[in-house]
Amino acid sequence: MKAIIRDAYGPADVLRLGEVKKPVPGDDDVLLRVHAAGVDMGVWHLLEGVPYLMRPAIGFRKPKNPLIGNDIAGKVEAVGANVTRFKPGDRVFGTCDAAFAEFVRTPQDRLAAVPENLMFEQAAALPTSGMTALTALRDAGKVRPGQRVLVIGAGGGVGTFAVQLAKAFGAEVTGVCSTSKVELVRSIGADDIVDYTVEDFADGKRRYDLIIDMASNRSLTHLRRALTPRGTFVIVGGEEGGRWLAGMDRQLRAVLLGPFVRYQPRVVFAFPKLELLETLAGLAEQGKITPVISKTFPLRETPEAVRELAKGHTRGKMVITM
């Protein structure tokens, strides 16, 4: 079968389309014919092998796993002996360890049924970014109806979900984005928009009960100026801070600061959970969230998709199609 292969760490040029052996499902696994695969910043981190602190788990000098990609959507091809939730032909979406391939295997508890109103491309855009946004708002941020929520990076992959989820939870939402994404952020339900190229969300005119920051380039002090006295800000990921920490330094500072301040700094490291997937599927089925897809690429053009992602200006999500 065809798959995207990497033989070393590096930029997107280390990726190539090649032939690999079709996977065989274990007793608890589902074999999936992939129709679409989502592209997220986790792909870039694994491709580059950063932060370096994660290399003991993924391989010191070269990747332990030559395949890449996290988010998938497709049809069940076969199931293992212990699989009870799915059968061949079912439409499913979720996560795996090798999404950029024609077939993948993954445990059944990393998959959920595709909502009837979503196409495969939309479903593939949902897992990692949607689970991250849901974890940040509901679990870390404890969002409540009527709160004023600020979403920084509102036009990106996680941000477009965060805006929609905050609205679904009954919050008043302000999105921070560039000029080119203003109309997009408005179209997904933001009550107010701050164009960071012309104004500062922390100018003292407005205060927020909850700030979700995906942009990773504001200091903790800057975020604090936009918070209510006992507000919460949640740091989601990060690409700044060098190759050793790659943004984790700001998250670590937020954790260390927490016990000594009245406001509540939180960090998010989202991990795949069945409950998160099923919650997102339910919200999508109700029409409360809709994946925003900026562009699709065929499998052979995966390197180009990753190069575009690394520029950091993607509107919503990009998706690989088979």
Side-chain angles (χ1 to χ4, degrees):
M1 70 167 192
K2 289 183 172 59
I4 295 295
I5 304 168
R6 53 173 183 158
D7 300 311
Y9 293 121
D13 292 338
V14 307
L15 296 175
R16 61 184 175 86
L17 183 64
E19 291 285 338
V20 298
K21 191 174 181 180
K22 183 177 176 180
V24 176
D27 287 346
D28 298 306
D29 294 336
V30 172
L31 178 66
L32 183 67
R33 179 185 289 273
V34 180
H35 285 247
V39 185
D40 64 272
M41 283 307 299
V43 169
W44 179 84
H45 281 284
L46 287 174
L47 181 61
E48 294 277 351
V50 295
Y52 290 154
L53 288 180
M54 71 180 182
R55 288 209 180 180
I58 66 172
F60 281 103
R61 294 185 177 276
K62 67 177 184 178
K64 292 179 181 178
N65 180 6
L67 305 182
I68 198 167
N70 302 313
D71 294 354
I72 46 169
K75 285 187 178 180
V76 175
E77 185 86 357
V79 298
N82 298 333
V83 174
T84 58
R85 298 179 54 239
F86 303 109
K87 64 183 184 304
D90 286 349
R91 298 194 332 142
V92 298
F93 77 108
T95 61
C96 67
D97 298 323
F100 301 152
E102 292 179 313
F103 294 88
V104 302
R105 69 176 181 187
T106 195
Q108 64 171 331
D109 60 3
R110 292 178 66 175
L111 296 170
V114 174
E116 290 296 325
N117 58 333
L118 292 191
M119 298 183 296
F120 282 123
E121 291 84 356
Q122 293 173 303
L126 190 52
T128 296
S129 294
M131 286 191 287
T132 301
L134 181 58
T135 301
L137 279 158
R138 187 194 66 182
D139 302 336
K142 309 295 183 187
V143 65
R144 299 187 303 276
Q147 283 189 317
R148 299 189 67 185
V149 175
L150 182 74
V151 177
I152 305 173
V158 178
T160 50
F161 286 116
V163 169
Q164 295 178 79
L165 286 167
K167 289 296 295 181
F169 290 132
E172 179 185 332
V173 184
T174 297
V176 179
C177 62
S178 62
T179 307
S180 64
K181 297 179 182 179
V182 166
E183 290 307 316
L184 166 63
V185 175
R186 181 176 289 116
S187 72
I188 58 176
D191 299 289
D192 193 13
I193 298 172
V194 174
D195 180 346
Y196 69 76
T197 67
V198 296
E199 58 181 322
D200 182 4
F201 64 81
D203 57 9
K205 297 177 182 178
R206 292 160 287 194
R207 299 274 183 169
Y208 301 92
D209 304 295
L210 174 60
I211 297 176
I212 308 294
D213 182 15
M214 272 77 63
S216 79
N217 54 7
R218 274 85 172 182
S219 69
L220 303 184
T221 301
H222 193 84
L223 295 178
R224 186 181 63 196
R225 290 204 298 267
L227 273 180
T228 56
R230 295 191 178 277
T232 300
F233 65 74
V234 180
I235 307 297
V236 180
E239 317 310 327
E240 307 291 332
R243 299 181 72 82
W244 277 99
L245 295 175
M248 290 179 62
D249 56 333
R250 196 170 68 128
Q251 293 174 305
L252 291 172
R253 289 199 304 273
V255 170
L256 294 173
L257 188 64
F260 305 103
V261 293
R262 288 187 300 167
Y263 60 93
Q264 301 174 65
R266 304 273 173 79
V267 300
V268 165
F269 298 97
F271 298 99
K273 292 181 182 178
L274 178 58
E275 182 273 329
L276 294 172
L277 275 180
E278 291 182 334
T279 297
L280 291 169
L283 290 167
E285 192 165 32
Q286 297 168 40
K288 293 184 177 180
I289 58 172
T290 302
V292 175
I293 299 174
S294 61
K295 191 180 294 188
T296 61
F297 297 80
L299 182 62
R300 67 180 180 276
E301 293 181 12
T302 299
E304 177 58 31
V306 176
R307 277 192 289 269
E308 189 162 327
L309 176 75
K311 295 176 184 177
H313 304 297
T314 303
R315 296 161 57 91
K317 297 284 294 183
M318 294 187 298
V319 173
I320 306 298
T321 58
M322 305 300 153

